[in-house]
Amino acid sequence: MHFFADPEFWVLLAVAIFAAIVWKPASRYITGTLDERAMRIRGELEEARKLRDDAEQLLTEYQRKLREAATDAQAIVAHAREEAERIAAQAARDLQQSLERRQRLAEERIAQAESKAVDEIRAVAVDVAINAARDVIVADLDERRGAALLDTAIASLPQRLR
């Protein structure tokens, strides 16, 4: 019984009793705090899983949209090429028609100019022939012969007018 006289024994016994008294509420508090923390961590993990799933869904959706956009872009480019080819072909046809129309107009103008030139040449030739005939007739004709020729022309005039 030497232990009962030792003050260290009594300190040890007091600490053991104090620890026994404090242990139960402290263990409840520590266990409750740890359980709370575990629940909070579990909730955060669940939320992280949900966020990851949402992110994966968004990534999949964006990849699908990217593929669709690439397909649409290819279709737009193909349509634009077709439209450009159609416009170029139409422009070539329009240019060809315009050139043909201008050529026709030029040919018509040339034909009109030729016709006008021929008419002018004929008029000048007629004038020259009339003047030459007048000069020849005046030189070869005397008064009596001129009067006879004039009478013949007047007599034949009604037949020519019919």
Side-chain angles (χ1 to χ4, degrees):
M1 297 275 162
H2 172 300
F3 293 117
F4 295 124
D6 193 15
E8 291 173 359
F9 171 73
W10 290 109
V11 170
L12 179 65
L13 184 65
V15 168
I17 291 172
F18 178 75
I21 292 172
V22 172
W23 176 251
K24 191 166 188 164
S27 69
R28 273 192 232 144
Y29 174 74
I30 292 171
T31 307
T33 304
L34 290 176
D35 286 344
E36 253 179 53
R37 187 169 180 205
M39 292 294 278
R40 190 179 71 232
I41 290 172
R42 209 174 285 127
E44 289 174 358
L45 286 175
E46 186 63 32
E47 186 177 341
R49 271 192 218 104
K50 286 180 184 178
L51 288 174
R52 188 189 73 206
D53 291 343
D54 290 345
E56 286 175 353
Q57 286 177 349
L58 284 173
L59 177 65
T60 304
E61 184 178 338
Y62 285 131
Q63 288 173 344
R64 180 184 55 82
K65 286 182 179 181
L66 180 64
R67 285 190 301 269
E68 288 175 0
T71 304
D72 290 346
Q74 289 174 349
I76 289 170
V77 168
H79 179 69
R81 283 189 184 138
E82 291 172 0
E83 193 67 21
E85 290 172 1
R86 185 188 64 77
I87 289 171
Q90 182 64 36
R93 283 192 301 269
D94 291 347
L95 178 62
Q96 183 65 31
Q97 289 174 351
S98 176
L99 291 175
E100 289 173 358
R101 186 172 43 252
R102 286 184 181 188
Q103 183 178 358
R104 253 192 333 267
L105 288 173
E107 289 172 354
E108 288 174 4
R109 286 180 185 162
I110 291 170
Q112 289 174 353
E114 286 176 354
S115 175
K116 186 177 178 182
V118 167
D119 290 344
E120 288 176 2
I121 292 172
R122 282 185 185 151
V124 169
V126 167
D127 288 343
V128 169
I130 290 174
N131 287 336
R134 183 178 300 138
D135 291 343
V136 168
I137 291 174
V138 167
D140 286 344
L141 221 76
D142 57 358
E143 236 180 78
R144 188 175 44 106
R145 203 168 162 197
L149 193 55
L150 190 58
D151 289 341
T152 306
I154 290 172
S156 68
L157 190 60
Q159 291 174 351
R160 287 188 177 179
L161 289 176
R162 287 187 190 171

